[in-house]
Amino acid sequence: HQRDPDAVMISLHADHAIEDEQGFRSVLLAAVQAAQDGHLVTLGITPTAPETGYGYIQRGERLRLADGHELYRVLRFAEKPEPALARSFVDSGDYYWNSGIFVWQVKALLEEYRRQRPALYAQLESLEPFLNTPERDSAIARLWPQVESVSVDVGIMEGARNVAVVPASIGWNDVGCW
């Protein structure tokens, strides 16, 4: 954020396996394009079966094409449903598995922290003067025990105002649940 407030950041988990690397790159480029328009973007995995171990994303209206991929407004996130509900999600065609892969402009993400998690945002702001100094590590060490433990999915994305999803059929597997 200090170097470039308009910078786009991609948040990737390390426990995913993706078979279609070129397709993944293509979907990420579409997500970056959407993020440059101010959307907080998530990749939605086209479900192959009802899965109770994953969260789901319900898509809303089609927003536009982004680098050749459909972009939809997100209506809601649904966490790990019961089997019958998971089946109805898959049957509807309006839900995707939540990959946990996010793309956003740093300034858009920080604005959501400011709006939804003001205490956490203030903590982040308090670190800014130390980031490019020898005191950085000690400042982070002092603050870290006080920071609220909340995932970005729950803490930010579920309540964000401008969330979009790019559907992704890329041979995705959440190895962490394997």
Side-chain angles (χ1 to χ4, degrees):
H1 184 258
Q2 285 180 335
R3 283 183 269 154
D4 181 2
D6 295 323
V8 172
M9 176 182 151
I10 301 174
S11 173
L12 301 163
H13 297 312
D15 63 348
H16 295 174
I18 296 170
E19 292 175 16
D20 180 2
E21 292 178 24
Q22 186 58 39
F24 183 47
R25 285 186 192 96
S26 178
V27 169
L28 284 178
L29 288 173
V32 166
Q33 189 179 90
Q36 289 169 332
D37 292 342
H39 296 288
L40 281 78
V41 185
T42 184
L43 301 189
I45 305 301
T46 305
T48 56
E51 175 59 61
T52 60
Y54 298 154
Y56 285 76
I57 303 163
Q58 184 183 19
R59 76 171 186 217
E61 69 183 284
R62 181 184 176 273
L63 297 171
R64 66 180 181 87
L65 277 178
D67 204 42
H69 294 272
E70 299 287 339
L71 180 69
Y72 295 93
R73 183 169 312 285
V74 168
L75 292 181
R76 74 180 182 118
F77 289 86
E79 276 304 312
K80 299 179 178 76
E82 296 297 319
L85 188 56
R87 167 56 59 201
S88 72
F89 286 170
V90 172
D91 290 346
S92 78
D94 292 335
Y95 285 82
Y96 302 98
W97 289 334
N98 184 358
S99 68
I101 298 171
F102 303 113
V103 183
W104 43 53
Q105 278 184 315
V106 175
K107 69 181 180 185
L109 178 64
L110 287 175
E111 174 55 27
E112 284 297 333
Y113 271 99
R114 186 197 60 73
R115 187 177 70 79
Q116 295 186 64
R117 293 278 190 268
L120 180 52
Y121 179 79
Q123 290 171 321
L124 292 172
E125 274 194 314
S126 75
L127 286 175
E128 194 164 4
F130 301 102
L131 291 181
N132 293 313
T133 72
E135 293 84 29
R136 183 193 70 187
D137 291 347
S138 61
I140 292 171
R142 280 191 308 274
L143 182 63
W144 187 253
Q146 303 166 38
V147 173
E148 174 187 20
S149 177
V150 61
S151 72
V152 72
D153 303 58
V154 174
I156 297 299
M157 294 300 282
E158 289 182 5
R161 293 182 175 152
N162 194 16
V163 182
V165 61
V166 178
S169 295
I170 54 176
W172 174 89
N173 187 317
D174 181 1
V175 178
C177 292
W178 194 17

